[in-house]
Amino acid sequence: MTQAKATAISCANIAFIKYWGRRDHALRLPLNDSISMNLDGATTITTVAFDPALPADEVSIAGAPAPQRAAHRVSEHLDRVRMLAGIAEPARVASRNSFPMGAGIASSASAFAALSAAASAAAGLTLDERELTILARLGSGSACRSIPAGFVEWHAADTSEESYAESIAPPEHWDLRDLVAVVQTEHKEVGSTRGQELVDASPFAGARLAAAGRALPVIRAAILARDFTAFGQETEQEAIRMHAVAMTSQPSLLYWSPETVRVLRAVRAWRENGLEAYCTIDAGANVHVLCLGADAARVAAALSTLPGVREVIANRPGPGTRLAAEHLF
Ligand code: PMV
């Protein structure tokens, strides 16, 4: 028996050790383990209702019909849920983001995490957290890290069952802040799904993979010990390594804009002057500036005076994916 309707809310997440490259593209099995934090100020809410009266799946994003490619990817994910639940009904899906899509805040992560939780509940499935992370991973790799709460580690593995995500610390463990300096809101030219496929073409792919493997336990330990300096240094280095691989892929992926570099340089200068903050950047031009709660107001004020910074989205460590009582339709 399918439930009429279910709604889920998920946070986006920012990776400190990046998922960049896959060992299996169809199953979205990553090359390396990754670590992230959920972003409480960047959420997606999604309602799913299976309805035998519909001729086909109907998908809307922000109140408008979803572009064909996005709608197709949602339908493919619904097929996974239908297969698990043994149902064939089409679904109506409505989704809203609290932040701009496709510009380096992982909208696909919160989108596929919320879709997985809402669709599986609406289909009457009762998946545990680990199973839900695996389902979300099949929709978008980084989405698996938006299911558990707070600080999250995603395990790389050779099989789908072993590549899941789990929380390593709850949101209240550490008052770390992620201030997203938004310098671009347009869709990036090459999405991360495609970027993930080009990694092997970079001559630096192997070196970055080895470095990420060494950095991960350092970052995990720094999070657990709340050692901001060790955490920040390793995190900024990892972001630069990921982009070095992207830049040297074929074709070369250059996600940065002049404003990206301006923010990076400014943060490094503030650090020299005693205001401790570090940068990380996903597959887009926006810069995630990491600092401690005590410095967040100063860092946010300084960021908003930089030319080209259109908006600063402030985030604390966010909760895991949860079902909501209120629906979008
Ligand atoms: O899950 P995808 O395919 O959108 O890839 C996400 C890639 C990065 O955001 C750049 C890194 C990460 O680990 O989130």
Side-chain angles (χ1 to χ4, degrees):
M1 242 271 300
T2 57
Q3 255 184 12
K5 213 180 260 187
T7 298
I9 304 177
S10 297
C11 296
N13 68 74
I14 181 66
F16 307 134
I17 293 286
K18 308 291 187 187
Y19 152 51
W20 198 244
R22 307 191 192 102
R23 59 182 76 182
D24 185 308
H25 294 296
L27 291 174
R28 289 189 154 85
L29 296 174
L31 286 175
N32 60 283
D33 302 332
S34 54
I35 288 191
S36 62
M37 177 183 102
N38 286 345
L39 304 177
D40 78 338
T43 57
T44 300
I45 177 164
T46 300
T47 298
V48 177
F50 289 96
D51 183 350
L54 289 171
D57 293 331
E58 270 181 17
V59 183
S60 76
I61 301 175
Q68 210 186 346
R69 270 179 59 194
H72 181 72
R73 208 167 148 192
V74 168
S75 280
E76 279 181 347
H77 202 55
L78 291 170
D79 286 343
R80 296 184 182 106
V81 174
R82 283 187 278 252
M83 178 109 89
L84 283 171
I87 59 172
E89 292 140 53
R92 179 170 293 123
V93 178
S95 192
R96 270 182 203 284
N97 285 336
S98 71
F99 58 96
M101 277 174 76
I105 304 176
S107 59
S108 68
S110 51
F112 280 93
L115 178 66
S116 300
S120 56
L125 289 168
T126 44
L127 303 181
D128 64 21
E129 184 183 272
R130 175 172 167 161
E131 291 167 329
L132 205 50
T133 72
I134 292 169
L135 174 63
R137 190 203 77 227
L138 292 165
S140 174
S142 56
C144 72
R145 296 189 312 240
S146 285
I147 300 286
F151 299 85
V152 176
E153 184 166 340
W154 170 19
H155 305 287
D158 287 330
T159 65
S160 190
E161 299 69 42
E162 295 302 313
S163 186
Y164 64 97
E166 62 183 332
S167 179
I168 56 168
E172 56 280 7
H173 166 73
W174 196 19
D175 189 15
L176 187 67
R177 304 293 174 91
D178 177 16
L179 307 174
V180 188
V182 178
V183 298
Q184 176 188 296
T185 51
E186 304 82 49
H187 240 278
K188 59 205 173 216
E189 281 166 31
V190 179
S192 46
T193 296
R194 180 82 184 111
Q196 301 278 8
E197 290 164 6
L198 303 174
V199 169
D200 295 339
S202 164
F204 304 134
R208 180 260 153 189
L209 195 60
R214 287 191 296 271
L216 183 127
V218 178
I219 288 188
R220 188 204 296 120
I223 290 171
L224 295 179
R226 302 183 191 90
D227 179 345
F228 183 57
T229 302
F231 163 82
Q233 286 173 349
E234 287 289 341
T235 295
E236 192 168 301
Q237 286 292 329
E238 164 65 4
I240 305 289
R241 287 193 297 260
M242 181 205 116
H243 284 272
V245 168
M247 286 175 196
T248 52
S249 290
Q250 282 175 337
S252 160
L253 305 179
L254 185 55
Y255 288 111
W256 297 0
S257 69
E259 290 74 28
T260 309
V261 178
R262 187 182 287 133
V263 176
L264 260 171
R265 285 192 189 282
V267 169
R268 289 180 178 185
W270 300 338
R271 218 149 66 207
E272 292 290 306
N273 293 319
L275 180 59
E276 199 176 7
Y278 298 89
C279 296
T280 186
I281 307 162
D282 273 350
N286 296 335
V287 185
H288 293 248
V289 180
L290 301 160
C291 66
L292 291 173
D295 293 326
R298 269 175 76 204
V299 175
L303 280 173
S304 43
T305 64
L306 291 179
V309 174
R310 301 184 197 178
E311 191 189 346
V312 177
I313 302 175
N315 297 281
R316 295 169 190 249
T321 293
R322 62 249 183 242
L323 292 174
E326 286 193 22
H327 306 299
L328 288 180
F329 59 85

